[in-house]
Amino acid sequence: VNLKAMATNLLLLLAAVIAASAVEVVELDSNSYPETVGETEHAWLIEFGSRKCETCKLFEPEWEKVTELVDGVRFGHVVIDSPGGKMLARELGAMKPGIPNVSILPTWGEPLVPVVNGYAPATEVAAKVAVALDRLGLVRGADGLYRRSDARKKDEL
């Protein structure tokens, strides 16, 4: 038995499983936001931060863990260092609570719902997200993503 070959194959299989289960976090700015998030009926969990902010740097690994702990939402990240990121954060009102912050966008056209401002452990963020999704009255659709149960359109909000 070639143990080295078996170990190599096992590592390759493990890497493939990890890659397949990786969660996509979409980089959002004022240009990509309308076409990426626009008109969607499902919830987004969006993290706002800066590459120049020390607290944001500390929170980055926690945010990565949050994306593994929370399911049923799409994930977005807005870097306010770029003009498009800063513009989007301002348009959405995400600059007021400060950075880093994590907010829920229940559906397109609704205001952001702040969940966490500043550094917090991933487990705390995930717990607060679960509570917020419940309080917002969001339910999972057939695709497993949270959305409004009454399927309200944005012009009815």
Side-chain angles (χ1 to χ4, degrees):
V1 176
N2 186 344
L3 292 177
K4 186 175 181 181
M6 284 177 49
T8 301
N9 288 336
L10 183 58
L11 286 174
L12 289 173
L13 178 61
L14 181 60
V17 168
I18 290 170
S21 65
V23 175
E24 181 184 13
V25 178
V26 180
E27 188 85 22
L28 300 170
D29 62 22
S30 58
N31 292 322
S32 65
Y33 181 79
E35 47 195 62
T36 305
V37 180
E39 304 301 324
T40 59
E41 295 180 358
H42 58 268
W44 283 76
L45 190 62
I46 304 174
E47 187 261 337
F48 296 85
S50 167
R51 292 185 184 101
K52 300 173 186 174
C53 160
E54 290 303 315
T55 306
C56 298
K57 291 176 188 176
L58 288 172
F59 182 65
E60 193 172 317
E62 297 302 316
W63 170 245
E64 289 176 16
K65 292 175 192 170
V66 168
T67 66
E68 296 168 5
L69 293 172
V70 175
D71 63 345
V73 297
R74 296 275 166 86
F75 296 96
H77 174 70
V78 178
V79 179
I80 66 160
D81 301 332
S82 71
K86 184 177 277 187
M87 182 184 298
L88 177 60
R90 284 189 176 143
E91 288 172 5
L92 296 176
M95 297 292 281
K96 290 179 184 172
I99 56 169
N101 79 64
V102 176
S103 297
I104 296 173
L105 178 70
T107 59
W108 175 255
E110 290 189 62
L112 284 177
V113 176
V115 177
V116 173
N117 179 37
Y119 178 88
T123 52
E124 180 182 322
V125 177
K128 288 183 176 186
V129 167
V131 169
L133 290 169
D134 184 56
R135 285 188 179 159
L136 287 165
L138 301 180
V139 297
R140 287 185 190 256
D143 59 4
L145 296 173
Y146 282 98
R147 56 184 28 89
R148 288 278 174 213
S149 61
D150 58 4
R152 292 183 292 176
K153 295 185 174 93
K154 70 177 185 177
D155 55 350
E156 295 174 349
L157 294 174

